Amino acid sequence: MYKKFFLATALMAVCIQTNAQTLGTDYKGTSNANPISASVFCADPTAIDYNGRLYVFGTNDHQQFIVNKKSGSNGYGNIKSLVVFSTEDMVNWTFHGTIDVGKVCTWAGQSWAPSAVWRTTAAGNDEFFIFFANGGGSVGVMKSTVSPVGPYKSPRSSAMITQSTPGVRPCNWVFDPGAVIDSTGTGWIAFGGGDPQSTGSKLWPGNSRIAKLKPSLTAIDGSAVNMPAPYLFEASELNIIGGRFVYTYNTSWSDRNDWSKYEKRGSNAAPSSCSMCYMVTDTPLDPESWEYRGEYVPNEGNFGMGWGNNHTHLHKFKGNYYLFYHSTLLESSMNTGASGFRSIGVNKATVNEPKQNINKMTLSKTGVTAIANLNPYVLQQAETMATCGGIAYEDFSNISKNTSISSLGNDASRELQVKMKAGAWTQLRKVDFGSQGAVSLKIRTKGTGTMEVRLGSKTAKAAATVDFESTAYAEHTIEVEPTVFTGVKTVFFVCTAGTNVYFDSWQFSETLPDAVAAPAVPVATTPDRTYRLDGSVVTGNAKRRGLVIERRAGQSRKRIVR
């Protein structure tokens, strides 16, 4: 029986060579949780949890980054799509691609700052709604009856909220929607922002609005109401906490000289510049009922994440509260010279539900820790990762049609895979192989290349190696050593050879509980690749003399050739 010398010791010479190659730049950090994506610029987060997964949607800043040819400043004008990520453990994130709002809502010129909700109807059908800002002039809505990632359709032929909507005027910016569904099934939406009205002031800009939604959730029911939100600038969001409405928003950069004029300020100090604040009520359409609770997080610049307007989303997932926000952390790490391109981060929040109190927070690169381990024995998409280096995303359907597209352009996609070249890598954290360990690995790829699995570090020696060559997508299976792939590990998939490699998915098979190994992978009758001990490949009819390493369909053996 062949020994599995393709593990760390067998291909030692090969591993020494590949470890010396330049790996893709790590912009996030292999131990940091923020930002949630190491390669996608996105902002203005919102989220829904569905069937045990948390889905996070955001403004697709990366679309503008591509249009700008990865330079210049973010003007937001070319952003017509939203990004979608999801997670089960809060550290390994699956990128689902983009929702092409411009194609769904043909009337819309932009799509910024989404707010997502979902419900189960009386008939037992699940419905998903995404509200978005069409620039600063109106609010639109999309609906899906399939899944959080779509496909989405437009239930309307025009914007849902405009300046002409009852109760909106005067409001400088009709944008940044924040929606919620209360315990009775009634939908609500807050929106608005901008500089003070001519009749307003720095303390009372007069641009915050809230309205009730009709049962369809696609139209306003009645008239919008002006909320008394001091120093409001933008970033409206709504939550129901402890049975009460909680409204959060981003304050302006203006001075706070008139804070003493706010009679209902209580013991709260004036909010710091461009900070996030919140208010609470039982009756959202009664302006006098709103109680100001103060600042819950200062501007992200205070934490070394770049100064800018923020937009947060508070969400309870699997018993814990999390605050999603954006910063220019990734932009700063990339140092491309571009400016204003944001990335989504998340930190744990402490919320007293009965009292609706949000403890003041700090933001950090370290971020959150995993709340669950990742299961390697179920099919995992290659787009699931904690961080990465040197990768791009491509659309499966477009690639199958041999169509070349720019990564993260305005192309809606639900089926992605990771495009890699030599030196590119992805990382997954808290991968739990169990006590019995894994016996085989299957990856689905296209192209010609070599993928190494490294444990603990992206520069570690290979724990397993897969060579592949196919012009169409194909599955490649190798055996692995259970004693190596056991326990909870940090796993790296490192492409060590290849230029146009497409990585779609992976899955390990586990050792059976009775210690009887799963059926072995059939061994090829002739070696598919032979190495000398110096790591060089024996090609063609070259003489094979001395000790060589033969690879046969995922296995390896040493033998003496005389």
Side-chain angles (χ1 to χ4, degrees), residues 85-265:
F85 291 86
S86 74
T87 185
E88 290 182 339
D89 57 32
M90 296 302 296
V91 296
N92 296 301
W93 290 90
T94 302
F95 180 50
H96 295 280
T98 59
I99 299 172
D100 190 339
V101 180
K103 289 181 180 178
V104 176
C105 300
T106 55
W107 56 266
Q110 289 90 31
S111 59
W112 307 342
S115 182
V117 297
W118 77 278
R119 67 181 178 185
T120 300
T121 66
N125 301 316
D126 293 341
E127 296 179 333
F128 308 88
F129 299 84
I130 298 179
F131 304 88
F132 65 93
N134 175 36
S138 61
V139 171
V141 61
M142 301 182 295
K143 178 181 177 180
S144 174
T145 57
V146 179
S147 77
V149 298
Y152 281 89
K153 296 181 180 180
S154 177
R156 303 175 56 99
S157 60
S158 61
M160 187 182 81
I161 305 173
T162 68
Q163 288 283 357
S164 298
T165 301
V168 171
R169 283 195 177 102
C171 179
N172 277 354
W173 299 338
V174 182
F175 80 156
D176 283 13
V180 72
I181 300 174
D182 67 21
S183 59
T184 69
T186 302
W188 302 84
I189 190 165
F191 59 94
D195 295 324
Q197 297 291 330
S198 58
T199 56
S201 64
K202 294 177 181 178
L203 177 60
W204 302 117
N207 293 312
S208 54
R209 299 290 184 273
I210 189 168
K212 183 180 177 182
L213 294 172
K214 289 184 177 181
S216 66
L217 301 186
T218 61
I220 297 298
D221 187 0
S223 179
V225 171
N226 186 5
M227 287 184 293
Y231 301 114
L232 172 124
F233 189 59
E234 59 183 20
S236 295
E237 269 286 10
L238 287 173
N239 285 85
I240 303 292
I241 300 177
R244 306 188 74 195
F245 291 82
V246 177
Y247 171 64
T248 61
Y249 66 98
N250 185 222
T251 65
S252 68
W253 294 94
S254 66
D255 64 66
R256 307 301 196 233
N257 296 336
D258 52 359
W259 180 243
S260 61
K261 297 178 182 179
Y262 181 25
E263 296 179 356
K264 298 173 69 174
R265 67 186 183 277

Side-chain angles (χ1 to χ4, degrees), residues 542-555:
K543 292 183 179 181
R544 294 166 167 80
R545 303 182 67 87
L547 184 63
V548 298
I549 301 173
E550 291 183 350
R551 291 183 48 78
R552 298 170 180 258
Q555 297 196 16

Side-chain angles (χ1 to χ4, degrees), residues 44-65:
D44 307 319
T46 185
I48 59 174
D49 55 282
Y50 182 72
N51 288 345
R53 291 191 72 84
L54 185 65
Y55 292 83
V56 174
F57 306 80
T59 304
N60 187 5
D61 277 20
H62 213 97
Q63 186 173 11
Q64 189 72 54
F65 186 62

